Amino acid sequence: MPDAPDSGARIVILDESAVQRLLRFEDLIPAMARALADLSAGRVVQPVRAILPIAPHRGFFGVMPAYAGALGAKLVTFYPHNQGIPTHHAVILLFRPETGEPLAIMDGRLITEMRTAAVSAVATQLLARPDASVLAILGSGVPAGSATA
């Protein structure tokens, strides 16, 4: 069988430090507002995440694909009993929607943390009273800490 033609596409790999340098809340918050609006308008194909229990190690593996002009998936693990390392780890994969070619592999832990905080900011902007001047953050863990960043 002949070799497939080389598309010449290189896969970009972004580790957490690269994500930290490149991803900014001033860009992410409006992007999340658009993404939420697109999801509400039915312009996003996003099936319910698939969760695989990893019972012998008391963990979980989740797969979350989506298509909204961009095509990607988040693969995430949740090990709630981890000590000394985060309980959540993730990678985000992006593909060229026209051909299915892989484009990028990104460390997803920080992206998830920042995305959660950005969505909270969008909800606050849309739902808070115009004269509100105090914000209370209830909860603990990574989302609560990143919301104050």
Side-chain angles (χ1 to χ4, degrees):
M1 182 156 93
D3 289 337
D6 181 14
S7 67
R10 285 211 159 118
I11 299 173
V12 174
I13 299 174
L14 300 174
D15 63 10
E16 185 170 314
S17 64
V19 170
Q20 190 170 32
R21 282 191 317 275
L22 297 169
L23 190 58
R24 299 280 172 246
F25 279 111
E26 57 266 21
D27 301 320
L28 185 57
I29 292 169
M32 289 297 94
R34 287 189 302 276
L36 291 168
D38 287 347
L39 180 64
S40 293
R43 294 187 289 264
V44 176
V45 178
Q46 183 179 355
V48 174
R49 75 181 89 188
I51 302 290
L52 175 68
I54 312 298
H57 303 288
R58 301 185 306 173
F60 299 90
F61 177 69
V63 179
M64 296 176 270
Y67 173 69
L71 175 62
K74 180 167 98 171
L75 307 178
V76 62
T77 60
F78 173 54
Y79 282 67
H81 301 284
N82 279 354
Q83 298 292 314
I85 62 172
T87 57
H88 292 74
H89 296 275
V91 292
I92 296 174
L93 310 169
L94 295 179
F95 299 87
R96 185 179 313 280
E98 300 83 3
T99 63
E101 296 168 272
L103 296 173
I105 302 170
M106 299 176 285
D107 184 281
R109 194 204 62 75
L110 182 60
I111 292 171
T112 299
E113 179 181 313
M114 291 179 69
R115 190 258 3 257
T116 301
V119 169
S120 296
V122 171
T124 301
Q125 290 171 346
L126 295 174
L127 299 174
R129 291 186 353 208
D131 62 342
S133 62
V134 174
L135 171 66
I137 298 174
L138 305 177
S140 62
V142 173
S146 65
T148 61

